Amino acid sequence: MNEYSERRNRFMEQMEDNSLALLFSGDEIQKSEDEAYPFAVNRNFYYLSGIDKAGMVLALSKFNGVRSSRMFILPYDEFWAKWVGGRMREEEVKKISEVDSVANVNDLDDYVASLYNNARYYGGLKVYLDLWKYTFEQSDSKAIRYAKKLVANYVNTKVIDAYPILCEMRMVKDEKEVAKILKAIDITRSGVYAMMRNVKPKMNEMVMEGIFNFSLAQRGCNTNAFKTIAASGKRATILHYSDNNCVMEDGELFLCDLGATYDHYCADISRTFPVNGKFTARQKEIYKVVLGAQKVVENNARPGVTTRDLNQKVIDYYKEELPKLGLNGDVSEYYFHGVSHHLGLDVHDVDIRGSKLKKGNVITNEPGLYIEKEGIGIRIEDDLLITDDGCINLAKDFLHDPDEIERFMNK
Ligand code: GLY
Ligand code: MN
Ligand code: MN
């Protein structure tokens, strides 16, 4: 049994009896004639199947306690294969996902109709769907459109959001998932080190982004975990700056916040270093305070605490430290984001807000200080694995110390 069938079993254990779960891989979104936007597979579908192709539907059923899994796929198309490559065939789908059976996606509605007939005796069909929506106006996903279609055709349908079960499962990473995050961090490190080695005044931020992506490609990775932030000078005080199109000047700091992916698992790393290879005394003293904040989080991250608790520890620490840097006033003038979020298949991964950390969670550790009037933005971000009684820094071998960074940049 591979990890995908093991996860499906755990999911189906938690499904109510006489129910069906439908997970849609998603569709390619057309950009213009003959071109689609890059496809991003639905993460819950991938988590339960290991497949990252468009147009598929994973159906998990549970009737009288009997469980089965069936993957509905687009039929193989010889003509299409000549244009964009072959679709996945039945044998490959079975090999990767270990589903019980594979069927044509055009037969999905008939399959669902047959289950409705079986379920009549039990008062109708309960259907689990991934009803994720981030904003009110966001257009409906395929799962939401299908939920509407089911309710329109079978008025006694009970639609259940699959998210609570999947969220709890995905928050606790298994060994294979941690190994993939570690690989993503390792690839990211190569990219950041290439930036450190090549940066110089008058270079454009976009060249730094290009160096990072080139290094990822050399390691076989062509997908970023999120849009790279490559910000020098005062642009580093904009948290999610991603224009990456300005010239970097002598004496400025450069902040990058970026990540490679490995099998869709994300790294989320930030590093800040001097464009000319040497921190000023002022830059170094501020940098050291941010590094101290990272240590505060690392020393306190353990089962039972919340990410909000960790953030409060950072704020308390800054309250002590910022006046020593001549930064008076409220901490929120210089630090105005959370220190941590969960990390996994998504860079801001699924999360039960306010929940206590558990062994197997992977979270970020990303304190920063943003001093616009001095043109200084510093963020240092690592990724932590929560253990029985503390945490392991998955990015511990990734340069942190400012003196070591200078030595590395000037070697
Ligand atoms: N890369 C966005 C973040 O660190 O949360
Ligand atoms: Mn980040
Ligand atoms: Mn982050």
PDB file of all heavy atoms in Angstrom, residues 63-79:
ATOM      1  N   PHE A  63     -20.381   2.427   1.322  1.00  0.00           N
ATOM      2  CA  PHE A  63     -21.761   1.962   1.470  1.00  0.00           C
ATOM      3  C   PHE A  63     -21.778   0.734   2.350  1.00  0.00           C
ATOM      4  O   PHE A  63     -21.070  -0.234   2.074  1.00  0.00           O
ATOM      5  CB  PHE A  63     -22.378   1.655   0.093  1.00  0.00           C
ATOM      6  CG  PHE A  63     -22.763   2.911  -0.628  1.00  0.00           C
ATOM      7  CD1 PHE A  63     -21.870   3.528  -1.490  1.00  0.00           C
ATOM      8  CD2 PHE A  63     -23.994   3.510  -0.399  1.00  0.00           C
ATOM      9  CE1 PHE A  63     -22.201   4.708  -2.117  1.00  0.00           C
ATOM     10  CE2 PHE A  63     -24.330   4.695  -1.031  1.00  0.00           C
ATOM     11  CZ  PHE A  63     -23.439   5.293  -1.886  1.00  0.00           C
ATOM     12  N   ASN A  64     -22.593   0.786   3.406  1.00  0.00           N
ATOM     13  CA  ASN A  64     -22.624  -0.303   4.386  1.00  0.00           C
ATOM     14  C   ASN A  64     -21.207  -0.661   4.838  1.00  0.00           C
ATOM     15  O   ASN A  64     -20.863  -1.838   4.978  1.00  0.00           O
ATOM     16  CB  ASN A  64     -23.322  -1.542   3.815  1.00  0.00           C
ATOM     17  CG  ASN A  64     -24.766  -1.227   3.488  1.00  0.00           C
ATOM     18  OD1 ASN A  64     -25.454  -0.560   4.275  1.00  0.00           O
ATOM     19  ND2 ASN A  64     -25.217  -1.665   2.318  1.00  0.00           N
ATOM     20  N   GLY A  65     -20.399   0.348   4.987  1.00  0.00           N
ATOM     21  CA  GLY A  65     -19.037   0.155   5.467  1.00  0.00           C
ATOM     22  C   GLY A  65     -18.052  -0.313   4.404  1.00  0.00           C
ATOM     23  O   GLY A  65     -16.853  -0.400   4.657  1.00  0.00           O
ATOM     24  N   VAL A  66     -18.554  -0.625   3.194  1.00  0.00           N
ATOM     25  CA  VAL A  66     -17.642  -1.114   2.130  1.00  0.00           C
ATOM     26  C   VAL A  66     -17.092   0.085   1.366  1.00  0.00           C
ATOM     27  O   VAL A  66     -17.851   0.918   0.856  1.00  0.00           O
ATOM     28  CB  VAL A  66     -18.374  -2.075   1.161  1.00  0.00           C
ATOM     29  CG1 VAL A  66     -17.427  -2.553   0.070  1.00  0.00           C
ATOM     30  CG2 VAL A  66     -18.963  -3.250   1.940  1.00  0.00           C
ATOM     31  N   ARG A  67     -15.768   0.154   1.289  1.00  0.00           N
ATOM     32  CA  ARG A  67     -15.124   1.325   0.673  1.00  0.00           C
ATOM     33  C   ARG A  67     -14.611   0.985  -0.722  1.00  0.00           C
ATOM     34  O   ARG A  67     -14.112  -0.123  -0.941  1.00  0.00           O
ATOM     35  CB  ARG A  67     -13.918   1.748   1.500  1.00  0.00           C
ATOM     36  CG  ARG A  67     -14.243   2.048   2.924  1.00  0.00           C
ATOM     37  CD  ARG A  67     -12.945   2.211   3.659  1.00  0.00           C
ATOM     38  NE  ARG A  67     -13.133   2.200   5.096  1.00  0.00           N
ATOM     39  CZ  ARG A  67     -12.141   2.164   5.958  1.00  0.00           C
ATOM     40  NH1 ARG A  67     -10.885   2.122   5.532  1.00  0.00           N
ATOM     41  NH2 ARG A  67     -12.376   2.160   7.246  1.00  0.00           N
ATOM     42  N   SER A  68     -14.679   1.952  -1.626  1.00  0.00           N
ATOM     43  CA  SER A  68     -14.003   1.747  -2.914  1.00  0.00           C
ATOM     44  C   SER A  68     -13.527   3.084  -3.461  1.00  0.00           C
ATOM     45  O   SER A  68     -14.046   4.148  -3.100  1.00  0.00           O
ATOM     46  CB  SER A  68     -14.921   1.037  -3.901  1.00  0.00           C
ATOM     47  OG  SER A  68     -15.749   1.962  -4.535  1.00  0.00           O
ATOM     48  N   SER A  69     -12.496   2.993  -4.306  1.00  0.00           N
ATOM     49  CA  SER A  69     -11.948   4.208  -4.919  1.00  0.00           C
ATOM     50  C   SER A  69     -11.934   4.033  -6.429  1.00  0.00           C
ATOM     51  O   SER A  69     -11.565   2.969  -6.936  1.00  0.00           O
ATOM     52  CB  SER A  69     -10.527   4.449  -4.406  1.00  0.00           C
ATOM     53  OG  SER A  69      -9.703   3.340  -4.685  1.00  0.00           O
ATOM     54  N   ARG A  70     -12.363   5.051  -7.125  1.00  0.00           N
ATOM     55  CA  ARG A  70     -12.387   4.992  -8.594  1.00  0.00           C
ATOM     56  C   ARG A  70     -11.897   6.326  -9.146  1.00  0.00           C
ATOM     57  O   ARG A  70     -12.334   7.388  -8.694  1.00  0.00           O
ATOM     58  CB  ARG A  70     -13.815   4.725  -9.072  1.00  0.00           C
ATOM     59  CG  ARG A  70     -13.947   4.649 -10.577  1.00  0.00           C
ATOM     60  CD  ARG A  70     -15.339   4.248 -10.999  1.00  0.00           C
ATOM     61  NE  ARG A  70     -15.679   2.915 -10.496  1.00  0.00           N
ATOM     62  CZ  ARG A  70     -16.755   2.232 -10.876  1.00  0.00           C
ATOM     63  NH1 ARG A  70     -17.593   2.732 -11.751  1.00  0.00           N
ATOM     64  NH2 ARG A  70     -16.999   1.033 -10.383  1.00  0.00           N
ATOM     65  N   MET A  71     -10.987   6.250 -10.122  1.00  0.00           N
ATOM     66  CA  MET A  71     -10.493   7.483 -10.746  1.00  0.00           C
ATOM     67  C   MET A  71     -11.151   7.643 -12.114  1.00  0.00           C
ATOM     68  O   MET A  71     -11.070   6.739 -12.958  1.00  0.00           O
ATOM     69  CB  MET A  71      -8.974   7.424 -10.914  1.00  0.00           C
ATOM     70  CG  MET A  71      -8.370   8.715 -11.424  1.00  0.00           C
ATOM     71  SD  MET A  71      -8.443  10.029 -10.185  1.00  0.00           S
ATOM     72  CE  MET A  71      -6.975   9.638  -9.253  1.00  0.00           C
ATOM     73  N   PHE A  72     -11.805   8.764 -12.307  1.00  0.00           N
ATOM     74  CA  PHE A  72     -12.384   9.084 -13.613  1.00  0.00           C
ATOM     75  C   PHE A  72     -11.372   9.936 -14.385  1.00  0.00           C
ATOM     76  O   PHE A  72     -10.915  10.963 -13.870  1.00  0.00           O
ATOM     77  CB  PHE A  72     -13.701   9.842 -13.433  1.00  0.00           C
ATOM     78  CG  PHE A  72     -14.810   8.963 -12.927  1.00  0.00           C
ATOM     79  CD1 PHE A  72     -14.982   8.769 -11.555  1.00  0.00           C
ATOM     80  CD2 PHE A  72     -15.650   8.302 -13.807  1.00  0.00           C
ATOM     81  CE1 PHE A  72     -15.986   7.943 -11.082  1.00  0.00           C
ATOM     82  CE2 PHE A  72     -16.660   7.468 -13.334  1.00  0.00           C
ATOM     83  CZ  PHE A  72     -16.829   7.283 -11.973  1.00  0.00           C
ATOM     84  N   ILE A  73     -11.030   9.463 -15.593  1.00  0.00           N
ATOM     85  CA  ILE A  73      -9.974  10.168 -16.352  1.00  0.00           C
ATOM     86  C   ILE A  73     -10.463  10.517 -17.759  1.00  0.00           C
ATOM     87  O   ILE A  73     -11.402   9.906 -18.272  1.00  0.00           O
ATOM     88  CB  ILE A  73      -8.681   9.316 -16.454  1.00  0.00           C
ATOM     89  CG1 ILE A  73      -8.908   8.043 -17.280  1.00  0.00           C
ATOM     90  CG2 ILE A  73      -8.157   8.963 -15.067  1.00  0.00           C
ATOM     91  CD1 ILE A  73      -7.621   7.273 -17.590  1.00  0.00           C
ATOM     92  N   LEU A  74      -9.776  11.486 -18.362  1.00  0.00           N
ATOM     93  CA  LEU A  74     -10.052  11.818 -19.763  1.00  0.00           C
ATOM     94  C   LEU A  74      -9.547  10.658 -20.616  1.00  0.00           C
ATOM     95  O   LEU A  74      -8.439  10.156 -20.387  1.00  0.00           O
ATOM     96  CB  LEU A  74      -9.294  13.092 -20.157  1.00  0.00           C
ATOM     97  CG  LEU A  74      -9.790  14.387 -19.511  1.00  0.00           C
ATOM     98  CD1 LEU A  74      -8.712  15.463 -19.592  1.00  0.00           C
ATOM     99  CD2 LEU A  74     -11.075  14.855 -20.184  1.00  0.00           C
ATOM    100  N   PRO A  75     -10.329  10.201 -21.596  1.00  0.00           N
ATOM    101  CA  PRO A  75      -9.861   9.078 -22.417  1.00  0.00           C
ATOM    102  C   PRO A  75      -8.616   9.459 -23.216  1.00  0.00           C
ATOM    103  O   PRO A  75      -8.433  10.637 -23.553  1.00  0.00           O
ATOM    104  CB  PRO A  75     -11.047   8.788 -23.331  1.00  0.00           C
ATOM    105  CG  PRO A  75     -11.925   9.990 -23.271  1.00  0.00           C
ATOM    106  CD  PRO A  75     -11.656  10.689 -21.990  1.00  0.00           C
ATOM    107  N   TYR A  76      -7.775   8.482 -23.502  1.00  0.00           N
ATOM    108  CA  TYR A  76      -6.553   8.747 -24.276  1.00  0.00           C
ATOM    109  C   TYR A  76      -6.954   9.235 -25.667  1.00  0.00           C
ATOM    110  O   TYR A  76      -7.896   8.732 -26.261  1.00  0.00           O
ATOM    111  CB  TYR A  76      -5.698   7.480 -24.378  1.00  0.00           C
ATOM    112  CG  TYR A  76      -4.287   7.807 -24.792  1.00  0.00           C
ATOM    113  CD1 TYR A  76      -3.355   8.202 -23.841  1.00  0.00           C
ATOM    114  CD2 TYR A  76      -3.910   7.781 -26.126  1.00  0.00           C
ATOM    115  CE1 TYR A  76      -2.073   8.548 -24.213  1.00  0.00           C
ATOM    116  CE2 TYR A  76      -2.630   8.130 -26.509  1.00  0.00           C
ATOM    117  CZ  TYR A  76      -1.715   8.509 -25.543  1.00  0.00           C
ATOM    118  OH  TYR A  76      -0.448   8.860 -25.919  1.00  0.00           O
ATOM    119  N   ASP A  77      -6.238  10.217 -26.185  1.00  0.00           N
ATOM    120  CA  ASP A  77      -6.615  10.835 -27.457  1.00  0.00           C
ATOM    121  C   ASP A  77      -5.353  10.956 -28.320  1.00  0.00           C
ATOM    122  O   ASP A  77      -4.464  11.739 -28.019  1.00  0.00           O
ATOM    123  CB  ASP A  77      -7.220  12.221 -27.138  1.00  0.00           C
ATOM    124  CG  ASP A  77      -7.757  12.920 -28.372  1.00  0.00           C
ATOM    125  OD1 ASP A  77      -7.089  12.867 -29.427  1.00  0.00           O
ATOM    126  OD2 ASP A  77      -8.843  13.529 -28.271  1.00  0.00           O
ATOM    127  N   GLU A  78      -5.318  10.158 -29.425  1.00  0.00           N
ATOM    128  CA  GLU A  78      -4.108  10.115 -30.275  1.00  0.00           C
ATOM    129  C   GLU A  78      -3.835  11.476 -30.921  1.00  0.00           C
ATOM    130  O   GLU A  78      -2.683  11.902 -31.011  1.00  0.00           O
ATOM    131  CB  GLU A  78      -4.260   9.058 -31.381  1.00  0.00           C
ATOM    132  CG  GLU A  78      -4.417   7.629 -30.887  1.00  0.00           C
ATOM    133  CD  GLU A  78      -3.150   7.067 -30.228  1.00  0.00           C
ATOM    134  OE1 GLU A  78      -2.084   7.715 -30.302  1.00  0.00           O
ATOM    135  OE2 GLU A  78      -3.252   5.993 -29.607  1.00  0.00           O
ATOM    136  N   PHE A  79      -4.881  12.159 -31.345  1.00  0.00           N
ATOM    137  CA  PHE A  79      -4.707  13.453 -32.004  1.00  0.00           C
ATOM    138  C   PHE A  79      -4.119  14.470 -31.022  1.00  0.00           C
ATOM    139  O   PHE A  79      -3.148  15.160 -31.311  1.00  0.00           O
ATOM    140  CB  PHE A  79      -6.069  13.936 -32.521  1.00  0.00           C
ATOM    141  CG  PHE A  79      -6.022  15.322 -33.114  1.00  0.00           C
ATOM    142  CD1 PHE A  79      -5.531  15.545 -34.392  1.00  0.00           C
ATOM    143  CD2 PHE A  79      -6.460  16.417 -32.370  1.00  0.00           C
ATOM    144  CE1 PHE A  79      -5.467  16.830 -34.919  1.00  0.00           C
ATOM    145  CE2 PHE A  79      -6.406  17.708 -32.889  1.00  0.00           C
ATOM    146  CZ  PHE A  79      -5.911  17.910 -34.170  1.00  0.00           C
TER     147      PHE A  79
END
